[in-house]
Short mmCIF file of all heavy atoms in Angstrom, two decimals:
data_model
loop_
_atom_site.label_atom_id
_atom_site.label_comp_id
_atom_site.label_asym_id
_atom_site.label_seq_id
_atom_site.Cartn_x
_atom_site.Cartn_y
_atom_site.Cartn_z
N ILE Q 9 21.29 18.33 -22.96
CA ILE Q 9 19.86 18.59 -22.94
C ILE Q 9 19.23 17.39 -22.08
O ILE Q 9 19.38 16.18 -22.46
CB ILE Q 9 19.37 18.49 -24.32
CG1 ILE Q 9 20.05 19.32 -25.36
CG2 ILE Q 9 17.81 18.86 -24.33
CD1 ILE Q 9 19.52 19.16 -26.80
N GLY Q 10 18.74 17.74 -20.96
CA GLY Q 10 18.15 16.77 -20.05
C GLY Q 10 18.96 16.56 -18.78
O GLY Q 10 20.10 16.18 -18.92
N GLY Q 11 18.45 16.92 -17.64
CA GLY Q 11 19.21 16.97 -16.44
C GLY Q 11 18.85 15.85 -15.44
O GLY Q 11 18.84 16.01 -14.25
N ASP Q 12 18.76 14.58 -15.96
CA ASP Q 12 18.61 13.45 -15.00
C ASP Q 12 19.71 12.47 -15.14
O ASP Q 12 20.83 12.85 -15.33
CB ASP Q 12 17.20 12.87 -15.25
CG ASP Q 12 16.78 11.97 -14.05
OD1 ASP Q 12 17.22 12.16 -12.95
OD2 ASP Q 12 15.97 11.01 -14.35
N ALA Q 13 19.29 11.18 -15.09
CA ALA Q 13 20.29 10.15 -14.98
C ALA Q 13 21.44 10.26 -15.97
O ALA Q 13 22.66 10.36 -15.56
CB ALA Q 13 19.68 8.75 -15.00
N ALA Q 14 21.14 10.16 -17.21
CA ALA Q 14 22.22 10.12 -18.28
C ALA Q 14 22.92 11.48 -18.29
O ALA Q 14 24.17 11.59 -18.34
CB ALA Q 14 21.58 9.76 -19.63
N GLY Q 15 22.12 12.55 -18.37
CA GLY Q 15 22.69 13.91 -18.61
C GLY Q 15 23.64 14.30 -17.46
O GLY Q 15 24.74 14.76 -17.64
N PHE Q 34 20.50 22.05 -19.85
CA PHE Q 34 19.09 22.59 -19.89
C PHE Q 34 18.11 21.53 -19.48
O PHE Q 34 18.12 20.42 -20.12
CB PHE Q 34 18.79 23.11 -21.33
CG PHE Q 34 19.63 24.29 -21.68
CD1 PHE Q 34 20.60 24.23 -22.69
CD2 PHE Q 34 19.45 25.51 -21.03
CE1 PHE Q 34 21.31 25.40 -22.97
CE2 PHE Q 34 20.21 26.58 -21.34
CZ PHE Q 34 21.17 26.52 -22.27
N GLU Q 35 17.26 21.77 -18.54
CA GLU Q 35 16.29 20.77 -18.12
C GLU Q 35 14.91 21.43 -18.04
O GLU Q 35 14.77 22.46 -17.35
CB GLU Q 35 16.70 20.31 -16.60
CG GLU Q 35 15.60 19.54 -15.92
CD GLU Q 35 15.03 18.36 -16.73
OE1 GLU Q 35 15.83 17.50 -17.10
OE2 GLU Q 35 13.79 18.28 -16.77
N ARG Q 36 14.00 20.93 -18.70
CA ARG Q 36 12.72 21.63 -18.85
C ARG Q 36 11.86 21.48 -17.65
O ARG Q 36 10.96 22.33 -17.31
CB ARG Q 36 11.99 21.21 -20.11
CG ARG Q 36 11.41 19.77 -20.07
CD ARG Q 36 10.72 19.53 -21.35
NE ARG Q 36 10.41 18.10 -21.54
CZ ARG Q 36 10.05 17.47 -22.65
NH1 ARG Q 36 10.01 18.14 -23.77
NH2 ARG Q 36 9.90 16.22 -22.76
N SER Q 37 11.97 20.42 -16.77
CA SER Q 37 11.22 20.23 -15.64
C SER Q 37 11.84 21.03 -14.42
O SER Q 37 12.95 21.57 -14.59
CB SER Q 37 11.14 18.74 -15.22
OG SER Q 37 12.27 18.34 -14.53
N TYR Q 42 17.00 13.22 -10.25
CA TYR Q 42 15.95 12.69 -9.43
C TYR Q 42 15.79 11.20 -9.77
O TYR Q 42 16.25 10.68 -10.85
CB TYR Q 42 14.59 13.35 -9.68
CG TYR Q 42 14.19 13.47 -11.13
CD1 TYR Q 42 13.54 12.44 -11.72
CD2 TYR Q 42 14.54 14.54 -11.84
CE1 TYR Q 42 13.15 12.49 -13.09
CE2 TYR Q 42 14.21 14.67 -13.18
CZ TYR Q 42 13.55 13.63 -13.77
OH TYR Q 42 13.23 13.63 -15.11
N ALA Q 44 13.41 8.57 -10.84
CA ALA Q 44 12.01 8.29 -11.42
C ALA Q 44 11.61 6.86 -10.97
O ALA Q 44 10.46 6.64 -10.71
CB ALA Q 44 11.99 8.33 -12.91
N CYS Q 45 12.65 6.08 -10.70
CA CYS Q 45 12.33 4.65 -10.27
C CYS Q 45 11.65 4.64 -8.95
O CYS Q 45 10.93 3.67 -8.56
CB CYS Q 45 13.70 3.87 -10.13
SG CYS Q 45 14.76 4.01 -11.56
N LEU Q 47 9.26 6.79 -8.00
CA LEU Q 47 8.03 7.37 -8.06
C LEU Q 47 6.89 6.52 -7.60
O LEU Q 47 6.04 7.00 -6.82
CB LEU Q 47 7.72 7.93 -9.44
CG LEU Q 47 8.60 9.11 -9.92
CD1 LEU Q 47 8.17 9.46 -11.41
CD2 LEU Q 47 8.25 10.26 -8.98
N PRO Q 48 6.80 5.24 -7.94
CA PRO Q 48 5.69 4.43 -7.47
C PRO Q 48 5.63 4.36 -5.94
O PRO Q 48 4.51 4.30 -5.40
CB PRO Q 48 5.94 3.07 -8.11
CG PRO Q 48 6.77 3.32 -9.30
CD PRO Q 48 7.62 4.52 -8.87
N HIS Q 81 14.11 25.16 -18.43
CA HIS Q 81 14.55 25.66 -19.73
C HIS Q 81 14.49 24.45 -20.73
O HIS Q 81 15.12 23.41 -20.51
CB HIS Q 81 16.12 26.05 -19.65
CG HIS Q 81 16.31 27.37 -19.01
ND1 HIS Q 81 16.09 27.73 -17.70
CD2 HIS Q 81 16.78 28.50 -19.62
CE1 HIS Q 81 16.37 28.99 -17.50
NE2 HIS Q 81 16.78 29.55 -18.67
N GLU Q 82 13.71 24.64 -21.77
CA GLU Q 82 13.49 23.61 -22.72
C GLU Q 82 14.24 23.92 -24.02
O GLU Q 82 14.10 25.00 -24.55
CB GLU Q 82 12.02 23.55 -22.99
CG GLU Q 82 11.64 22.43 -24.08
CD GLU Q 82 10.12 22.14 -24.09
OE1 GLU Q 82 9.35 22.81 -23.46
OE2 GLU Q 82 9.80 21.19 -24.88
N VAL Q 83 14.88 22.92 -24.43
CA VAL Q 83 15.55 23.07 -25.82
C VAL Q 83 14.48 22.73 -26.90
O VAL Q 83 13.84 21.74 -26.83
CB VAL Q 83 16.74 22.10 -25.94
CG1 VAL Q 83 17.31 22.19 -27.30
CG2 VAL Q 83 17.88 22.57 -24.89
N ALA Q 114 20.21 14.01 -23.86
CA ALA Q 114 19.90 13.01 -22.83
C ALA Q 114 18.47 13.34 -22.39
O ALA Q 114 18.13 13.61 -21.18
CB ALA Q 114 20.85 13.16 -21.60
N THR Q 115 17.59 13.22 -23.43
CA THR Q 115 16.24 13.71 -23.18
C THR Q 115 15.20 12.67 -22.70
O THR Q 115 14.03 12.97 -22.46
CB THR Q 115 15.66 14.23 -24.51
OG1 THR Q 115 16.03 13.40 -25.52
CG2 THR Q 115 16.26 15.66 -24.81
N GLY Q 116 15.73 11.47 -22.49
CA GLY Q 116 14.81 10.43 -21.84
C GLY Q 116 13.76 9.95 -22.72
O GLY Q 116 13.94 9.83 -23.96
N ALA Q 117 12.68 9.48 -22.06
CA ALA Q 117 11.56 8.82 -22.88
C ALA Q 117 10.23 9.34 -22.33
O ALA Q 117 10.19 10.03 -21.31
CB ALA Q 117 11.69 7.31 -22.63
N LEU Q 135 3.97 8.24 -16.27
CA LEU Q 135 5.13 8.71 -15.37
C LEU Q 135 6.36 8.82 -16.21
O LEU Q 135 6.75 7.89 -16.99
CB LEU Q 135 5.31 7.74 -14.15
CG LEU Q 135 4.16 7.78 -13.13
CD1 LEU Q 135 4.40 6.65 -12.14
CD2 LEU Q 135 4.09 9.06 -12.54
N ASN Q 136 7.22 9.87 -15.95
CA ASN Q 136 8.54 9.89 -16.41
C ASN Q 136 9.34 10.82 -15.54
O ASN Q 136 10.25 10.36 -14.88
CB ASN Q 136 8.74 10.22 -17.94
CG ASN Q 136 7.97 11.43 -18.36
OD1 ASN Q 136 7.26 12.11 -17.58
ND2 ASN Q 136 8.25 11.76 -19.65
N THR Q 137 8.95 12.10 -15.46
CA THR Q 137 9.76 13.00 -14.63
C THR Q 137 9.26 12.94 -13.17
O THR Q 137 8.18 12.56 -12.86
CB THR Q 137 9.68 14.45 -15.08
OG1 THR Q 137 8.16 14.79 -15.08
CG2 THR Q 137 10.21 14.61 -16.50
N TYR Q 163 6.13 -3.05 -16.45
CA TYR Q 163 6.50 -3.07 -15.03
C TYR Q 163 6.06 -1.73 -14.32
O TYR Q 163 5.70 -1.70 -13.18
CB TYR Q 163 8.02 -3.31 -14.83
CG TYR Q 163 8.86 -2.13 -15.07
CD1 TYR Q 163 9.27 -1.19 -14.13
CD2 TYR Q 163 9.41 -1.96 -16.35
CE1 TYR Q 163 10.10 -0.10 -14.36
CE2 TYR Q 163 10.22 -0.81 -16.64
CZ TYR Q 163 10.55 0.08 -15.57
OH TYR Q 163 11.30 1.20 -15.86
N ILE Q 164 6.00 -0.57 -15.04
CA ILE Q 164 5.51 0.65 -14.45
C ILE Q 164 4.03 0.47 -14.14
O ILE Q 164 3.52 0.86 -13.12
CB ILE Q 164 5.78 1.86 -15.36
CG1 ILE Q 164 7.31 2.14 -15.35
CG2 ILE Q 164 5.13 3.12 -14.86
CD1 ILE Q 164 7.74 3.22 -16.31
N GLU Q 167 3.76 -1.53 -10.98
CA GLU Q 167 4.13 -0.68 -9.80
C GLU Q 167 3.14 0.27 -9.47
O GLU Q 167 2.90 0.56 -8.26
CB GLU Q 167 5.59 -0.07 -10.03
CG GLU Q 167 6.65 -1.17 -10.10
CD GLU Q 167 8.12 -0.64 -10.42
OE1 GLU Q 167 8.18 0.65 -10.66
OE2 GLU Q 167 8.98 -1.45 -10.50
N ASN Q 251 12.47 10.07 -26.38
CA ASN Q 251 12.24 11.46 -26.72
C ASN Q 251 13.32 11.82 -27.81
O ASN Q 251 14.39 12.40 -27.45
CB ASN Q 251 12.39 12.31 -25.52
CG ASN Q 251 11.27 12.24 -24.52
OD1 ASN Q 251 10.10 11.91 -24.97
ND2 ASN Q 251 11.38 12.50 -23.32
N LEU Q 254 13.71 15.97 -31.13
CA LEU Q 254 14.69 17.08 -31.47
C LEU Q 254 15.79 16.53 -32.34
O LEU Q 254 16.28 17.23 -33.29
CB LEU Q 254 15.38 17.50 -30.19
CG LEU Q 254 14.74 18.49 -29.21
CD1 LEU Q 254 15.54 18.66 -27.97
CD2 LEU Q 254 14.44 19.76 -29.87
N ALA Q 284 22.77 9.74 -24.84
CA ALA Q 284 22.84 8.65 -23.82
C ALA Q 284 21.52 8.55 -23.10
O ALA Q 284 20.68 9.46 -23.08
CB ALA Q 284 23.89 9.05 -22.80
N GLY Q 285 21.22 7.27 -22.56
CA GLY Q 285 20.05 7.08 -21.81
C GLY Q 285 18.88 6.66 -22.60
O GLY Q 285 19.01 6.14 -23.69
N ASP Q 286 17.69 6.90 -22.07
CA ASP Q 286 16.38 6.38 -22.64
C ASP Q 286 16.09 6.91 -24.03
O ASP Q 286 15.27 6.34 -24.74
CB ASP Q 286 15.23 6.77 -21.72
CG ASP Q 286 15.12 5.96 -20.48
OD1 ASP Q 286 16.06 5.13 -20.20
OD2 ASP Q 286 14.14 6.20 -19.71
N CYS Q 287 16.77 8.09 -24.42
CA CYS Q 287 16.54 8.62 -25.82
C CYS Q 287 17.40 7.83 -26.84
O CYS Q 287 17.08 7.98 -28.04
CB CYS Q 287 16.91 10.14 -25.85
SG CYS Q 287 18.57 10.47 -25.58
N ALA Q 302 14.76 0.99 -21.84
CA ALA Q 302 14.71 2.26 -21.10
C ALA Q 302 14.87 1.99 -19.59
O ALA Q 302 13.87 1.68 -18.95
CB ALA Q 302 13.48 3.02 -21.38
N LEU Q 303 16.12 1.93 -19.08
CA LEU Q 303 16.29 1.62 -17.62
C LEU Q 303 17.34 2.55 -17.09
O LEU Q 303 18.30 2.94 -17.75
CB LEU Q 303 16.81 0.21 -17.49
CG LEU Q 303 15.71 -0.93 -17.71
CD1 LEU Q 303 16.30 -2.26 -17.71
CD2 LEU Q 303 14.62 -0.75 -16.63
N GLY Q 304 17.14 2.84 -15.75
CA GLY Q 304 18.06 3.73 -15.05
C GLY Q 304 19.55 3.11 -15.01
O GLY Q 304 20.45 3.93 -15.07
N THR Q 305 19.64 1.83 -14.88
CA THR Q 305 21.03 1.25 -14.87
C THR Q 305 21.72 1.69 -16.19
O THR Q 305 22.90 2.05 -16.11
CB THR Q 305 20.90 -0.29 -14.80
OG1 THR Q 305 19.88 -0.67 -15.77
CG2 THR Q 305 20.48 -0.79 -13.49
N ALA Q 307 20.99 3.98 -18.38
CA ALA Q 307 21.14 5.46 -18.56
C ALA Q 307 22.39 5.95 -17.77
O ALA Q 307 23.16 6.75 -18.30
CB ALA Q 307 19.89 6.17 -18.08
N VAL Q 333 14.17 -5.99 -13.11
CA VAL Q 333 13.72 -6.53 -11.90
C VAL Q 333 12.51 -5.58 -11.48
O VAL Q 333 12.59 -4.41 -11.61
CB VAL Q 333 14.82 -6.76 -10.87
CG1 VAL Q 333 15.41 -5.39 -10.48
CG2 VAL Q 333 14.30 -7.48 -9.64
P1 LIG U 501 15.14 10.79 -17.89
O1 LIG U 501 15.29 10.28 -16.57
O2 LIG U 501 13.78 10.70 -18.56
O3 LIG U 501 15.64 12.34 -18.05
C1 LIG U 501 15.47 13.12 -19.17
C2 LIG U 501 15.31 14.53 -18.83
O4 LIG U 501 15.28 15.31 -20.01
C3 LIG U 501 13.95 14.77 -18.14
O5 LIG U 501 14.22 15.32 -16.92
C4 LIG U 501 13.24 15.71 -19.08
O6 LIG U 501 12.45 16.69 -18.39
C5 LIG U 501 14.41 16.32 -19.79
N1 LIG U 501 14.13 16.84 -21.19
C6 LIG U 501 13.45 16.12 -22.21
N2 LIG U 501 13.40 16.93 -23.25
C7 LIG U 501 13.92 18.10 -22.95
C8 LIG U 501 14.16 19.27 -23.68
N3 LIG U 501 13.73 19.41 -25.00
N4 LIG U 501 14.78 20.29 -23.13
C9 LIG U 501 15.14 20.19 -21.82
N5 LIG U 501 14.97 19.09 -21.13
C10 LIG U 501 14.39 18.02 -21.59
N6 LIG U 501 14.73 1.91 -14.28
C11 LIG U 501 15.46 0.98 -13.62
O7 LIG U 501 16.60 0.57 -13.95
N7 LIG U 501 14.90 0.34 -12.56
C12 LIG U 501 13.70 0.71 -12.07
O8 LIG U 501 13.25 0.20 -11.07
C13 LIG U 501 12.95 1.73 -12.75
N8 LIG U 501 11.74 2.13 -12.32
C14 LIG U 501 11.06 3.21 -12.97
C15 LIG U 501 9.81 3.60 -12.53
C16 LIG U 501 9.23 4.58 -13.14
C17 LIG U 501 7.89 5.02 -12.62
C18 LIG U 501 9.75 5.29 -14.19
C19 LIG U 501 9.07 6.38 -14.93
C20 LIG U 501 11.07 4.82 -14.68
C21 LIG U 501 11.70 3.76 -14.05
N9 LIG U 501 12.99 3.37 -14.53
C22 LIG U 501 13.56 2.35 -13.83
C23 LIG U 501 13.60 3.92 -15.77
C24 LIG U 501 14.56 5.03 -15.34
O9 LIG U 501 13.99 5.96 -14.53
C25 LIG U 501 14.98 5.74 -16.71
O10 LIG U 501 15.57 4.71 -17.47
C26 LIG U 501 15.98 6.80 -16.40
O11 LIG U 501 15.52 7.79 -15.62
C27 LIG U 501 16.44 7.34 -17.71
O12 LIG U 501 17.42 8.34 -17.64
P2 LIG U 501 17.58 9.46 -18.67
O13 LIG U 501 18.47 10.43 -18.10
O14 LIG U 501 17.87 8.84 -19.98
O15 LIG U 501 16.11 10.08 -18.93
#
Side-chain angles (χ1 to χ4, degrees):
I9 314 175
D12 193 27
F34 293 114
E35 166 55 54
R36 70 180 167 198
S37 83
Y42 50 87
C45 313
L47 289 176
H81 280 69
E82 179 169 7
V83 173
T115 43
L135 291 175
N136 53 356
T137 58
Y163 80 90
I164 293 178
E167 290 174 0
N251 288 335
L254 279 178
D286 285 5
C287 63
L303 285 173
T305 46
V333 62

